[in-house]
Amino acid sequence: SIKERTYIMVKPDGVQRGLVGNIIARFEGRGFKLIALKLVHATPEHLEKHYADLKGKPFFPGLIKYMALGPVVAMVWEGLDAVKTGRVMLGATNPLASAPGTIRGDFALAVGRNICHGSDSVENAEKEIALWFPEGVVQHELTLSTWVFE
Ligand code: DAT
Ligand code: MG
């Protein structure tokens, strides 16, 4: 869908390493529309909800600790096939397998410090957007969009 939405997040390591602008620029340049953005230092409780599907994995406690180390940049991007294309732009979960040119393939080495998050399905995107932006997103028009997709 051309109105598909995905939840993209710069993780605490991405913020610390000064990669926020680079990551935003990639989504802007690709033609997606920014409809929500905030800097937030999430609580472990909030992060446990975000990663509820992974509860029970051996790396879960470490993941929550890492994600709570500092603020993250929470964003919602909208556009054609935003979920799938967002995942391609992020690269594989383990940077060992992330292609150069992807965010993780350009900036990350370790799965436990992989810089960014992106929703893996439209259904999960809707859940994540509701969790991180209970106040809602901003409806606005970019007239450029007719020059990006049909
Ligand atoms: P993704 O972030 O690509 O959607 P995921 O949802 O399977 O991947 O896992 C969420 C995060 O958990 C991932 O970005 C990094 C961490 N993680 C996943 N698998 C891991 C592992 N085997 N060891 C350590 N951390 C892991
Ligand atoms: Mg995931």
Side-chain angles (χ1 to χ4, degrees):
S1 150
I2 62 167
K3 287 278 186 190
E4 193 166 292
R5 292 170 174 186
T6 190
Y7 176 68
I8 300 290
M9 170 164 59
V10 185
K11 295 180 176 181
D13 49 340
V15 174
Q16 286 291 318
R17 291 177 55 194
L19 299 174
V20 173
N22 182 295
I23 291 169
I24 290 174
R26 288 173 184 237
F27 281 85
E28 281 185 321
R30 193 71 189 256
F32 291 114
K33 179 167 75 171
L34 184 63
I35 57 170
L37 175 145
K38 65 184 169 191
L39 184 74
V40 45
H41 195 155
T43 63
E45 293 71 32
H46 185 86
L47 293 161
E48 281 172 18
K49 282 184 199 160
H50 174 78
Y51 281 126
D53 293 349
L54 297 174
K55 207 162 185 159
K57 298 271 186 195
F59 58 82
F60 186 78
L63 174 63
I64 300 303
K65 219 175 257 177
Y66 151 55
M67 291 297 297
L69 282 175
V72 300
V73 174
M75 298 178 278
V76 182
W77 290 91
E78 183 182 275
L80 183 66
D81 300 325
V83 169
K84 270 196 183 164
T85 298
R87 293 285 292 188
V88 172
M89 290 167 71
L90 260 53
T93 302
N94 191 336
L96 194 61
S98 310
T102 65
I103 295 165
R104 289 162 172 168
D106 286 348
F107 298 121
L109 289 172
V111 69
R113 294 287 186 275
N114 66 359
I115 303 288
C116 51
H117 166 84
S119 309
D120 62 4
S121 68
V122 172
E123 190 192 349
N124 282 337
E126 284 168 7
K127 281 189 207 163
E128 291 168 3
I129 292 165
L131 176 67
W132 289 90
F133 293 97
E135 68 274 30
V137 301
V138 179
Q139 310 271 6
H140 66 113
E141 288 308 318
L142 295 181
T143 52
L144 182 70
S145 56
T146 50
W147 302 103
V148 180
F149 46 75
E150 298 169 87

